[in-house]
Amino acid sequence: MRQEDRVTYKPFNLQGKVALITGGNRGIGFGMAQALAQSGADVAIWGTSAARNEEAAAALAAEGVNAAAWRVDVSNEDEVMAAMADVASTMGRIDAVFANAGIGYGAPSFVDMDTAVYRKVMSVNLDGVFWTFREACRHMVSRAQAGDPGGSLVGVASLAAIEGAARNEAYAATKGAVISMIKSIAVEHARYGVRANAILPGWIATDMTANAQANPAFADKVLPRIPARRWGRPEDFGGVAVYLASDASAYHSGDLFVVDGGYAIF
Ligand code: NAD
């Protein structure tokens, strides 16, 4: 008997499931989308750049699944509502939603942070997640009421939600709020078979952290404080994404998944 024939536990096979990843055209979102596609899920991605969307969707379709992209600004309620309805009708259903789209900003200090920056980060990182999850829940609740319960909602928060992140007060507030929102959603929607969890990335090498990656002081001071002694990579989020989209996590809700190479406990 070949080794693979002896594997009978296969909950991580996502064939027949549809996953939506906001901000799925690059970075952590694309890392998750790629693993989900490689596990058999059909994938829908949202992003603001049409060119990046098309490139990412083509790479995901090359995994042999149905993959499509929508140009959506998650800080626009109408766009989120229209796109969620369109994904459900085009892809047939939505089983897992990863609210990953997010932005950072460079602020010299809290006292120098202006209101426009505060409003902008709130609109993408918090309003965007609220509308994405509300529309996802509307789909999942009505599907459950029609006799087909189930679903997984995943918010990409940040260690900034639970650790003091200097010069990041607005960003940290959005991520803390996302965690609180997820816990409420988890309790309210368990009766529909829907679970909700948060992922808290540590220091991950993406466009968002380009400045830190290029800063020698960061390499000297922060990298030695990461037990894994390296930056996280988008593909480090594949495993947790597949687990949360799969039936293996059917009884796992309201939890926080810290993916940081051990940074938070060191
Ligand atoms: P990234 O900049 O590489 O990717 C961000 C993605 O979000 C892109 O696909 C972009 O198109 C999309 N996006 C941005 N604004 C959008 C909008 N208004 N509407 C729709 N899509 C939008 O960043 P990343 O590092 O991959 O970040 C992904 C998530 O992880 C974010 O929520 C971020 O806050 C979080 N995070 C990142 C780190 C890190 O170290 N990189 C750490 C903690 C948390």
Side-chain angles (χ1 to χ4, degrees):
M1 188 188 282
R2 289 178 310 158
Q3 179 66 34
E4 59 266 32
D5 294 333
R6 272 187 260 138
V7 176
T8 54
Y9 181 72
K10 295 177 177 169
F12 303 115
N13 181 343
L14 300 182
Q15 282 171 326
K17 292 190 188 294
V18 176
L20 163 65
I21 305 97
T22 74
N25 65 17
R26 67 171 196 242
I28 293 170
F30 184 72
M32 296 194 296
Q34 210 167 23
L36 293 163
Q38 287 169 354
S39 300
D42 289 337
V43 285
I45 57 170
W46 291 357
T48 45
S49 159
R52 280 182 190 262
N53 280 353
E54 291 319 312
E55 201 180 318
L60 295 168
E63 303 291 350
V65 298
N66 186 11
W70 278 256
R71 212 213 69 79
V72 181
D73 175 353
V74 296
S75 70
N76 182 311
E77 182 178 14
D78 292 340
E79 287 187 23
V80 171
M81 291 180 73
M84 191 70 74
D86 208 32
V87 171
S89 68
T90 308
M91 310 290 278
R93 56 187 293 115
I94 306 173
D95 299 284
V97 174
F98 293 80
N100 162 78
I103 55 170
Y105 52 84
S109 68
F110 185 40
V111 293
D112 291 321
M113 197 177 301
D114 67 40
T115 303
V117 172
Y118 170 74
R119 293 278 178 231
K120 174 73 182 162
V121 73
M122 284 285 167
S123 74
V124 177
N125 294 11
L126 184 54
D127 298 354
V129 173
F130 177 83
W131 290 320
T132 299
F133 281 160
R134 187 192 64 193
E135 294 312 298
C137 285
R138 285 177 172 166
H139 168 76
M140 289 173 183
V141 167
S142 69
R143 180 157 55 64
Q145 286 167 339
D148 182 10
S152 179
L153 303 173
V154 182
V156 178
S158 169
L159 279 190
I162 57 170
E163 298 201 316
R167 296 178 296 281
N168 266 297
E169 288 79 4
Y171 179 84
T174 65
K175 298 303 189 178
V178 163
I179 291 173
S180 301
M181 193 194 312
I182 282 169
K183 289 181 180 178
S184 293
I185 291 171
V187 171
E188 186 175 341
H189 295 79
R191 72 195 64 182
Y192 304 108
V194 175
R195 66 244 188 234
N197 293 283
I199 297 173
L200 281 62
W203 290 103
I204 316 304
T206 65
D207 289 359
M208 183 178 276
T209 53
N211 288 342
Q213 291 171 63
N215 183 347
F218 188 96
D220 287 348
K221 294 194 175 132
V222 182
L223 274 187
R225 290 182 48 216
I226 302 174
R229 294 289 192 274
R230 66 165 176 83
W231 281 86
R233 305 177 188 118
E235 57 267 32
D236 289 322
F237 293 81
V240 69
V242 170
Y243 168 68
L244 287 173
S246 77
D247 296 338
S249 63
Y251 199 61
H252 200 160
S253 198
D255 207 357
L256 312 184
F257 291 75
V258 175
V259 180
D260 68 346
Y263 181 77
I265 47 118
F266 189 34

